[in-house]
């Protein structure tokens, strides 16, 4: 208890130290280029020039010309950032991502804490600061900063939207994020599972508006994206590179060829959907909104043709839930033992060191096994969630958390 109090008292200083070290690591290493952010910054203006999907970033690596891979609406959203000079845009985006990480932590803790948030607000705010400092060292979060990716921004909006009381706000948040990047569209499954029909309708309306805006700006390039490029996963990136932690990526590395949507993928996808639906049903019955959200997001990561390792920032709320929620010790310990080493050791970079090129598909057996880490642990997580939440207590009891020192 004394150690906890001292640790929480130092939380702001720990966060400052964590930020400082991470900044040094990024600006002195690979992450200073923020390659993906530069794609948005350089190419987004082409949405107004009519050639958005014919150009590539001039800052692309030699083995992979980087195109703009999002819908036209995504380019429109990025336009204000292109009005800044590069250095300002780069650091503004990093600051926004940091604030979104804190927001994700805060919303997660509030969901887990329940009424305890009001009773011990200062305690939970300190935990929010401390968790933000810790999660800056989680690999998907760090790689999001390295590449200048949009994951933390989208996750922050989506998490807030999915648990918002207003159906219009919830639906608009999901619909417009899906308009920027398609994968968030799977969040509508959560609205259906919780019978929030109005939110589901509003999400469809917002998504339709985003698509319509793209066609309004330039009909031809919108037509190109939605009817020609939508299914071209290899345009987004190499399917089997270690960075891709989707089912399709893992299966392709194991079998030595791009499995596409063939039988191996179909079987794995069906298993994933079944497990996710069982876990989602258990979460809804237990009135555990956070786990309902995470279950749907994990399913989206598994089914997407490409789920880069930095897309897996959704593991961050899971870790917080595991530490603070009232769940069976065996479930907590099992998932922490699985996820913590993978999340805080750069397993992806380790695999990349053994990868001849990002386009090489086949791997030696042990590297193929390592390449299953994220999707395999996600499937295990769905099973554990379904088991541990089955027969859970009432809504009030389930959503009430205790400080970490009080957990048995």
């Amino acid at each position: 208890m004394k150690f906890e109090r001292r640790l929480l008292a130092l939380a702001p200083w720990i966060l400052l130290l964590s930020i400082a070290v991470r900044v040094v690591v990024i600006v002195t290493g690979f992450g200073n280029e923020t390659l993906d952010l530069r794609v948005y910054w350089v190419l987004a203006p082409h949405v107004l020039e009519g050639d958005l999907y014919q150009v590539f970033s001039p800052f692309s690596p030699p083995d992979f010309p980087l195109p703009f891979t999002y819908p036209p609406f995504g380019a429109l959203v990025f336009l204000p950032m292109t009005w800044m000079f590069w250095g300002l845009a780069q650091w503004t985006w990093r600051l926004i991502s940091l604030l979104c990480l804190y927001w994700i932590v805060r919303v997660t803790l509030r969901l887990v804490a329940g009424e305890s948030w009001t009773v011990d607000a200062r305690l939970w705010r300190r935990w929010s600061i401390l968790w933000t400092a810790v999660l800056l060292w989680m690999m998907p979060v760090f790689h999001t900063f390295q590449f200048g990716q949009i994951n933390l921004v989208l996750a922050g909006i989506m998490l807030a939207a999915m648990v918002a009381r207003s159906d219009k706000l919830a639906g608009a948040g999901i619909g417009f994020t899906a308009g920027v990047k398609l994968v968030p569209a799977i969040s509508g499954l959560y609205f259906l599972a919780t019978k929030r029909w109005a939110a589901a309708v509003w999400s469809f309306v917002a998504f339709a508006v985003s698509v319509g805006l793209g066609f309004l700006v330039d009909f031809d390039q919108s037509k190109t994206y939605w009817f020609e490029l939508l299914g071209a996963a290899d345009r987004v990136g190499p399917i089997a590179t270690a960075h891709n932690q989707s089912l399709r990526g893992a299966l392709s590395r194991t079998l030595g060829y791009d499995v596409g949507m063939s039988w191996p993928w179909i079987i794995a996808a069906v298993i994933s959907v079944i497990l996710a639906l069982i876990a989602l049903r258990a979460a809804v019955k237990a009135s555990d909104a956070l786990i309902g959200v995470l279950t749907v997001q994990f399913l989206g990561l598994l089914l997407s043709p490409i789920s880069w390792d930095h897309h897996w920032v959704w593991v961050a709320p899971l870790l917080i839930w595991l530490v603070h929620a009232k769940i069976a010790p065996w479930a907590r310990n099992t998932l922490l033992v699985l996820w913590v080493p993978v999340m805080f050791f750069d397993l992806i970079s380790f695999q990349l060191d053994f990868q001849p090129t990002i386009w090489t598909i086949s791997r030696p057996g042990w590297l193929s096994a390592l390449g299953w880490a994220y999707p395999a642990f996600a499937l295990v997580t769905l099973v554990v969630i379904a088991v541990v939440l089955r027969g859970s207590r009432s809504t009030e009891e389930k959503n009430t958390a205790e400080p970490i020192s009080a957990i048995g």
Side-chain angles (χ1 to χ4, degrees):
M1 192 68 176
K2 288 183 179 179
F3 175 75
E4 178 188 327
R5 287 200 300 266
R6 291 174 181 173
L7 188 65
L8 292 177
L10 293 173
W13 297 104
I14 296 173
L15 176 59
L16 288 175
L17 178 61
S18 182
I19 292 173
V21 174
R22 270 313 189 195
V23 167
V24 171
V25 172
I26 289 174
V27 300
T28 59
F30 170 76
N32 199 37
E33 293 88 352
T34 48
L35 288 175
D36 291 342
L37 179 63
R38 209 150 201 173
V39 172
Y40 314 147
W41 184 75
V42 170
L43 299 186
H46 287 268
V47 71
L48 303 178
E49 300 173 16
D51 61 347
L52 181 62
Y53 300 111
Q54 286 76 49
V55 293
F56 299 91
S57 170
F59 304 98
S60 302
D63 55 349
F64 183 32
L66 296 173
F68 192 87
T69 59
Y70 297 158
F73 179 73
L76 294 174
V77 169
F78 284 118
L79 272 181
M81 185 182 63
T82 68
W83 303 336
M84 307 178 192
F85 65 86
W86 170 240
L88 178 60
Q90 190 179 34
W91 284 102
T92 299
W93 191 250
R94 287 168 174 166
L95 178 59
I96 291 173
S97 296
L98 176 62
L99 293 175
C100 286
L101 175 61
Y102 174 76
W103 172 253
I104 292 168
V105 170
R106 188 180 175 91
V107 173
T108 298
L109 283 171
R110 190 154 193 166
L111 289 171
V112 176
E115 292 183 1
S116 177
W117 180 275
T118 304
V119 176
D120 298 312
R122 184 175 179 275
L123 171 71
W124 290 111
R125 284 196 295 269
R126 289 281 177 163
W127 273 115
S128 299
I129 295 171
L130 186 60
W131 268 109
T132 302
V134 172
L135 292 173
L136 278 171
W137 297 86
M138 195 180 90
M139 285 301 112
V141 171
F142 179 48
H143 290 163
T144 291
F145 280 95
Q146 268 191 330
F147 290 100
Q149 262 288 341
I150 195 174
N151 309 303
L152 290 170
V153 176
L154 291 183
I157 296 172
M158 292 164 63
L159 180 58
M162 292 176 76
V163 299
R165 294 181 180 179
S166 167
D167 287 331
K168 289 183 180 180
L169 184 62
I174 296 305
F176 284 122
T177 53
V180 174
K181 186 176 183 178
L182 295 179
V183 175
I186 199 170
S187 305
L189 179 61
Y190 178 73
F191 293 148
L192 298 179
T194 52
K195 298 181 180 180
R196 296 188 64 180
W197 314 118
V201 171
W202 278 108
S203 66
F204 178 80
V205 170
F207 178 70
V209 169
S210 74
V211 175
L213 286 173
F215 275 98
L216 185 64
V217 171
D218 192 300
F219 184 89
D220 288 335
Q221 65 185 358
S222 293
K223 179 182 176 183
T224 296
Y225 179 83
W226 292 108
F227 295 99
E228 296 179 25
L229 302 179
L230 183 59
D234 55 347
R235 186 177 183 273
V236 178
I239 294 295
T241 183
H243 280 298
N244 184 17
Q245 290 293 307
S246 68
L247 286 175
R248 180 169 167 180
L251 285 167
S252 297
R253 287 188 292 269
T254 299
L255 299 178
Y257 63 93
D258 180 5
V259 298
M261 297 182 69
S262 61
W263 280 110
W265 182 87
I266 292 174
I267 293 171
V270 169
I271 293 172
S272 300
V273 170
I274 292 172
L275 293 179
L277 290 179
I278 293 173
L280 179 58
R281 184 170 181 266
V284 171
K285 281 194 169 184
S287 298
D288 196 319
L290 176 63
I291 292 303
V293 169
L294 295 184
T295 296
V296 172
Q297 299 309 323
F298 274 29
L299 179 60
L301 290 167
L302 289 167
L303 297 184
S304 176
I306 290 184
S307 294
W308 301 131
D309 58 290
H310 46 75
H311 292 171
W312 289 79
V313 293
W314 289 103
V315 177
L318 174 68
L319 296 180
I320 296 173
W321 181 79
L322 290 173
V323 170
H324 291 284
K326 289 181 177 179
I327 59 173
W330 69 266
R332 174 183 299 111
N333 296 336
T334 298
L335 294 182
L336 286 176
V337 167
L338 291 178
W339 281 115
V340 169
V342 169
M343 288 292 103
F344 291 92
F345 172 74
D346 201 347
L347 184 65
I348 304 301
S349 293
F350 176 78
Q351 294 175 74
L352 291 174
D353 289 339
F354 293 90
Q355 182 175 285
T357 72
I358 59 175
W359 301 100
T360 302
I361 293 183
S362 61
R363 301 283 189 280
W366 65 278
L367 281 178
S368 294
L370 287 178
W372 272 93
Y374 288 31
F377 293 169
L379 291 171
V380 173
T381 299
L382 295 176
V383 173
V384 171
I385 285 173
V387 174
V388 78
L389 292 185
R390 183 173 295 174
S392 61
R393 292 164 292 184
S394 67
T395 300
E396 180 177 349
E397 291 174 336
K398 186 59 195 172
N399 287 334
T400 301
E402 300 177 0
I404 188 172
S405 60
I407 295 176

